Amino acid sequence: MINMVKESTYSGGRVYVCEKCGLKYRERIWAEKCEEFCTKHNACSIEITKHAIK
Ligand SMILES: [Zn+2]
């Protein structure tokens, strides 16, 4: 399955964006998990979003 996680920059560093909810992550793995969860459940998991960049 192809994931749609988008790369972006934030504070001069590379970040990964969940295209469903728009949250940014330092690690691609979390953006992928977030997007998978958001797509399946149409909601975010706090266990995942706690890894997001504030
Ligand atoms: Zn998400």
Side-chain angles (χ1 to χ4, degrees):
M1 183 181 153
I2 298 162
N3 71 70
M4 302 297 290
V5 171
K6 197 169 70 178
E7 284 186 29
S8 186
T9 52
Y10 180 80
S11 297
R14 181 175 296 173
V15 296
Y16 301 94
V17 184
C18 169
E19 296 215 305
K20 279 282 174 181
C21 67
L23 285 172
K24 299 180 181 70
Y25 296 88
R26 289 278 178 215
E27 288 98 15
R28 185 184 184 101
I29 188 74
W30 289 115
E32 287 176 358
K33 284 180 190 292
C34 185
E35 193 158 295
E36 191 183 320
F37 194 96
C38 288
T39 302
K40 269 187 198 160
H41 303 277
N42 247 323
C44 293
S45 163
I46 53 163
E47 285 301 305
I48 296 170
T49 59
K50 70 182 179 188
H51 296 277
I53 298 164
K54 288 285 180 288

